[in-house]
Amino acid sequence: MSVETSWFHPLRRRWLATCLLMLLIATALPIGAAPGLPTAKVEANLAQRLQDAGQAPVLIFLAGQADLSQAAYLVKKEAKGAFVYAQLKDFAERSQASLRAELTQRGIAYQAFLSVNMIYLPAADLTLVNELAARDDVRWLTLDASFGIDPSEQVTQPADAPAVISSGVNYIRAPQVWATGIDGAGIVVAGGDTGVRWTHEALKPQYRGWNGVSADHTYSWHDAIHDGGANPCGLNVPAPCDDYFHGTHTIGSVAGDDHSATPATRDQIGVAPGAKWIACRNMNAGVGTISRYVECNDFFLAPGDDTSKQPDVVNNSWGCPASEGCDSAAWTQIQPSIQALNAAGVMFVASAGNDGGQGCGSINDPPAVYPESLSVGNFYDGTGVISGSSSRGLRDFTGLFGPDVSAPGTSIRSATNSSDTGYSSASGTSMAGPHVAGLVALMWQANPALRGQILETAQYIRETATRVDNITCGVLTPYPDPLDNRPTPNNVYGWGRIDALNAVNAVRCPTDIDYDGGIDIRDVQLVAEIWNTQPGQALYNARRNLDFSDPAITTTDVTKVVDQWGANCTN
């Protein structure tokens, strides 16, 4: 008789080992994950792509992000921009140094970024991703998925004959602002889009890279499209080019004007024809990636590595849907890039989206869902009625009120990329957003002290908009409203339809808090009643912050109104 117990019989030991191995695999490896991947750090789409194809383009998100909070206490936009860029660059160099050195030593191609603490690898295999995920300085790895403009905006119609002034521009009363000598001069607007046909007759005079004789694109153009196959413009193009139409059309609605000497045929398609424009191509024929989008924002923070060349406002007529990477797991990953631009004093205008057919809660995609974006809905300027396709609030992920405001976006005539004299009509929130970007240019020329003050500018735009009564998708419980008996802001029109003349008149007389044309006790009360509030608190209203050295409502803000007591506004 053997002294070996029956439990340790060889067949039983083999059976036990097999069971233990299966148990370990089941508990350590989620269904669909690639073997060996530390899935807590590896996004599911990346894991699947690696499993299916063996390699993939990868975004490496590193731990930490630069602290830019002190920029809020800097008054001048130039100071904000220089501070933010320096902070981002220093943080990136320190936090990315070890990983960059290793990638360089191993001969692995990569691209490093500033506004988001991330590194892009054009191709990585399972072994490399596994090694990266094991590093303490790596927070997350994701597939660099493609994204693009809303398909409903890809259809254009032949444009009508020159309308002298675009109907959308007319509707928001921009010509009445021009009549006061304000046309956006001195302000620079940027477009992150499909590129721009810079030689177009309505755009070339306003292109910052053109001096009337020759072109220098160094500080005014960047192409973030480095791969992706055949493209009408090519890749890494050194001069502005539009491979689709969209970017030309949107920047035209911001600053387009052919400056014809014949008034009857002069094409004025832009809200701020005196402003200059620059651009970055972040989409390849309407499709981009998160890395390319962030690359354009990095360019806008310091064109040609020079923060003095920063734009004042960026128009963003694009969205990043879940099907292209911005799902519930990844939607926050590009938010630091917009936060950096805001901190630098750059206004970020985002189209709300064209998913209104889904009903309420259809502002689905970044960047419109972010609080740092001034989100814009689309109405038809022929009737003033919101478009059925215009996305409604609340905003997805964040649950925020939205859109902020609405602007003309249906059948908007603007420049196109077909020729230097080509025009087309298009519809969508992509066409509405540029009207707001142009409005910012008018406001900042009218009151240079407001330039770079993001929260304050956004609230001026909201409060001076024409309210529209609509309770379909719910309403905002507003800040105390200086103007009584107006409809409540709602999740269809936002605070209302933008009005350029109202906004510009308001910024010219900032101590007139209730917009009645004079400074009196009511204005003092409106500031005093929210004294000592900070951004983020329920009663805080940035419009009433008159001392830009401190974002809080302080005694200084009250004093500024008191000092103007009895004065009348002259616009």
Side-chain angles (χ1 to χ4, degrees), residues 13 96 109 216 300 316 321 370 390 411 446 527 537 553:
R13 282 184 298 187
Q96 298 174 11
D216 180 356
F300 293 144
N316 300 274
Y370 299 140
S390 185
S411 297
V527 179
Q537 294 181 335
I553 305 300

Side-chain angles (χ1 to χ4, degrees), residues 179-441:
T180 69
I182 300 297
D183 62 2
I187 305 301
V188 178
V189 180
D193 213 297
T194 63
V196 181
R197 186 182 182 102
W198 79 274
T199 54
H200 193 284
E201 63 178 9
L203 300 178
K204 186 174 181 178
Q206 290 78 252
Y207 176 49
R208 190 175 67 178
W210 173 251
N211 64 10
V213 178
S214 61
D216 180 356
H217 306 296
T218 306
Y219 304 106
S220 301
W221 165 254
H222 181 73
D223 189 8
I225 305 304
H226 313 302
D227 50 35
N231 181 282
C233 291
L235 306 175
N236 302 305
V237 295
C241 179
D242 186 350
D243 60 27
Y244 192 61
F245 98 88
H246 199 263
T248 301
H249 198 282
T250 55
I251 206 69
S253 293
V254 178
D257 188 340
D258 69 359
H259 297 281
S260 170
T262 307
T265 59
R266 183 176 178 178
D267 240 318
Q268 295 176 284
I269 54 176
V271 173
K276 295 294 184 180
W277 64 267
I278 66 174
C280 181
R281 184 168 66 142
N282 61 18
M283 288 184 278
N284 184 340
V287 179
T289 67
I290 291 175
S291 64
R292 301 289 77 86
Y293 171 70
V294 175
E295 180 177 336
C296 281
N297 277 0
D298 282 0
F299 170 73
F300 293 144
L301 282 166
D305 293 321
D306 186 348
T307 59
S308 72
K309 303 297 186 182
Q310 253 181 25
D312 294 290
V313 55
V314 181
N315 182 70
N316 300 274
S317 292
W318 55 270
C320 179
S323 62
E324 297 170 323
C326 289
D327 56 17
S328 58
W331 70 273
T332 62
Q333 301 307 319
I334 57 177
Q335 189 174 10
S337 188
I338 292 105
Q339 291 170 335
L341 284 168
N342 273 196
V346 178
M347 179 66 78
F348 193 92
V349 177
S351 299
N354 303 306
D355 296 317
Q358 299 175 10
C360 303
S362 52
I363 302 178
N364 297 324
D365 306 322
V369 298
Y370 299 140
E372 294 82 14
S373 299
L374 189 65
S375 175
V376 186
N378 154 33
F379 69 83
Y380 174 44
D381 57 57
T383 62
V385 176
I386 201 76
S387 168
S389 66
S390 185
S391 291
R392 276 81 163 148
L394 297 169
R395 307 187 202 197
D396 202 4
F397 304 118
T398 58
L400 294 172
F401 171 86
D404 287 289
V405 290
S406 298
T410 301
S411 297
I412 298 300
R413 182 178 183 275
S414 188
T416 193
N417 67 338
S418 61
S419 72
D420 286 346
T421 58
Y423 295 84
S424 66
S425 293
S427 300
T429 58
S430 281
M431 286 67 240
H435 289 78
V436 177
L439 172 55
V440 173

Side-chain angles (χ1 to χ4, degrees), residues 46 49-50 55-59 120-124 142-145 227 289:
L46 173 58
R49 177 71 68 86
L50 290 170
Q55 66 175 17
V58 175
L59 286 175
Y120 167 71
L121 305 183
T142 184
L143 180 70
D144 192 31
D227 50 35
T289 67

